[in-house]
Every structure is written in structure tokens, then in C-alpha cells.
Amino acid sequence: MEIQAFAKLNLTLDVLGKRPDGYHDLRMVMQSITLCDTLTLTPNQGQGLRVSTDLHFLPTGEKNLAAIAARRFWEALGCPAEDLDICIRKRIPVCAGMAGGSTDAAAVLRALNQRAGSPLTPAELARVGEQVGSDVPYCVLGGTALAEGRGERLTPLPALPRCWVVVCKPEFAISTPELFARIDSVRLRCRPDTDGLLSALEEGDLGGAARRMYNVFEDVLPPRQRDRVGELKNALIQAGALGANMSGTGPTAFGLFDCPEAAEEARAVLAENCRDIFLCQTV
Ligand code: C5P
């Protein structure tokens, strides 16, 4: 089986507080985009569960989230593990705030469930995903959604109106646990207007949604990294984006455009000072 695993962007990200279990309560509007990894699942003859990728520094075998997802799926069904090769062609930048590892895991869950004749409902499959990572339940469902709690409480939302997305991944990576630790030690000065963004989605108002995008993690980035993300966001707005935001714990910045020509022009301008740049659409 060959399957696509779509990247996600945060239209908003708010951290409401730290929980006794060490995780944080979040409130965020998520959106999947056409930027994707491609996974190939092939049964093998007695070689066990194997994972390989085209990026040499990523974990292979049982340490990869895709393998953990496969194990959890078979456990949930109460069936023995299969001999399976999972081969991942990475296109989504790594440690970039776009749920690259989580979406690969979610794609494995969807593919195995489909191949088994869909014994689990999407909600049950999302619950299996919760054991793999906080973003996996959302990645199982995809589309436009509000994610709350650890990220596992999902409410599907009206789709973001048709638009084009320019995604820029700066040259550094961010450690998610480190940024969560930083956010505990600061008082947040600014919060996203999540309810306003939800109303804009209800009304099909792309400009209203784009203007309300905000991510609290941008404020706790180390200064040089915050400056770089700010510079990319400004460049996107200068190039005609209706709004720009950072995704997840960063550092990816993106802008929303209501016309493909403006988006392509912005991509070309930003490509001059950002190597990892993509023009995509929402899914
Ligand atoms: O669930 P996942 O393993 O993807 O989370 C990675 C890290 O992100 C956690 O170890 C934790 O530090 C942080 N996290 C959090 N609260 C969440 C989600 C993630 O503190 N809701």
C-alpha cells in the first residue's frame, strides 16, 4: 500500500496550563496541508516489523513512531504483529512544528485499519493514536479541527475557505519538550483570539481567520530564533499574505493567500532567503 501523510499547521495555539501528568492543556486550531510524506507498506517474509526512511538521521525500526503505531494497532485488535516493511519518503521538514512524525504514525494507523476491513471507527483509531503521541489523534482525522486537552479532544470545524499556503522552514530545529519547559517560566503577554477565529470559520471569512492566527510559543523562542521567525512572517505579509503565523513549537512560519499568483510570487521572493519553502493548499 502507498499512502500519503499530510503535514499540519496551527492556525492558533494557546497553552492553558500545566497538568499534574506533566503535559499541558492546549487549545488550538489545526489545519492539514498538501505537503506530505509518502509511506509504502509491504508485507515481508519473516523479517518482523521494519521501518526505513530516506533521511539517515531519523530513527529506524522499532524506535520510529510509525512502528510504535503499528504495534499499538495490533495490540488494540488483539492480533499478533505482522511482518511488515514500512518505508517513509520524507518531504515534511523534521522538528519543524508540522507534526511530521505524528502524521506518519497516523497514516500507518489508517492504512492498517483500512487493510483489516475498518474494524476501528475513526474515533477509536484516534484513541489508539493517543498512545503514540499528542498530535497523532488529530493527524488520524485531519482537515480543519479544534484540538483541546493534551491535543486528543477534537472537534471538526468548517473547512478553511479555499486558499494557498506558503510554508517557510528556517534553518534551525526546535526541541518541543524544551519549548514547553520555557513556557512554564514566563507570563504570556498575548493570547490568540481562538473564539474569533472559530466565528470567522463559521462565516467562511478567510481574511478574518487569517488575521486572528496566533501562537503563544513564538514569544518564548530564544531571541535570535524569534527574530528569524518574525522576519519570515513580515516578509510573507509584505508579499501579500492575509495573515502569517508560526506552527506548533516552531520554527516553521507560513502565510495564507487568497490567490495562487500572489502565493507563487511570495514563494519566489522568500526562496531567496529561505531554503526549505513550499507552496501548498489546505486539505
Ligand atoms: O505527546 P508527545 O510525545 O508528542 O509530546 C512531546 C512533548 O511535548 C512531551 O514530552 C511534552 O514535553 C510536550 N507536550 C506537553 N503537552 C502537550 C503535548 C506535548 O507538554 N499537550
Side-chain angles (χ1 to χ4, degrees), residues 22-24 26 133-134 149-150 176-177 180:
Y23 282 88
H24 292 75
L26 309 176
S134 303
R150 225 184 93 196
T176 295
F180 269 105

Side-chain angles (χ1 to χ4, degrees), residues 138-199:
Y138 163 73
C139 292
V140 167
L141 300 180
T144 313
L146 177 69
E148 295 173 286
R150 225 184 93 196
E152 83 289 8
R153 270 180 23 229
L154 297 166
T155 311
L157 296 172
L160 191 66
R162 183 172 157 83
C163 62
W164 287 263
V165 191
V166 176
V167 175
C168 317
K169 153 74 173 60
E171 34 300 306
F172 48 89
I174 300 267
S175 149
T176 295
E178 206 176 298
L179 222 60
F180 269 105
R182 286 177 86 101
I183 213 155
D184 292 333
S185 60
V186 297
R187 180 198 284 261
L188 294 172
R189 289 178 302 167
C190 234
R191 314 297 286 261
D193 176 13
T194 312
D195 290 334
L197 192 133
L198 296 181
S199 302

Side-chain angles (χ1 to χ4, degrees), residues 24-38:
H24 292 75
D25 273 319
L26 309 176
R27 189 162 192 246
M28 46 194 182
V29 178
M30 318 278 256
Q31 174 65 56
S32 24
I33 53 170
T34 49
L35 174 62
C36 63
D37 294 340
T38 306

Side-chain angles (χ1 to χ4, degrees), residues 109-268:
L109 291 176
R110 282 200 313 267
L112 293 180
N113 194 46
Q114 189 190 330
R115 206 179 50 151
S118 302
L120 301 182
T121 63
E124 287 167 339
L125 206 56
R127 271 203 295 282
V128 177
E130 210 179 309
Q131 303 164 32
V132 183
S134 303
D135 276 343
V136 180
Y138 163 73
C139 292
V140 167
L141 300 180
T144 313
L146 177 69
E148 295 173 286
R150 225 184 93 196
E152 83 289 8
R153 270 180 23 229
L154 297 166
T155 311
L157 296 172
L160 191 66
R162 183 172 157 83
C163 62
W164 287 263
V165 191
V166 176
V167 175
C168 317
K169 153 74 173 60
E171 34 300 306
F172 48 89
I174 300 267
S175 149
T176 295
E178 206 176 298
L179 222 60
F180 269 105
R182 286 177 86 101
I183 213 155
D184 292 333
S185 60
V186 297
R187 180 198 284 261
L188 294 172
R189 289 178 302 167
C190 234
R191 314 297 286 261
D193 176 13
T194 312
D195 290 334
L197 192 133
L198 296 181
S199 302
L201 288 174
E202 284 292 339
E203 289 159 17
D205 173 9
L206 177 64
R211 275 196 304 280
R212 288 178 176 85
M213 295 195 299
Y214 186 70
N215 178 347
V216 292
F217 280 112
E218 200 182 321
D219 242 4
V220 296
L221 288 174
R224 277 182 49 201
Q225 303 183 348
R226 187 172 59 204
D227 289 351
R228 177 69 173 136
V229 171
E231 179 187 282
L232 289 171
K233 281 176 52 182
N234 282 339
L236 286 160
I237 299 286
Q238 291 294 322
L242 301 176
N245 197 26
M246 184 178 86
S247 187
T249 47
T252 296
F254 66 95
L256 302 183
F257 294 80
D258 57 3
C259 106
E261 293 80 16
E264 172 47 35
E265 223 174 286
R267 191 203 60 76

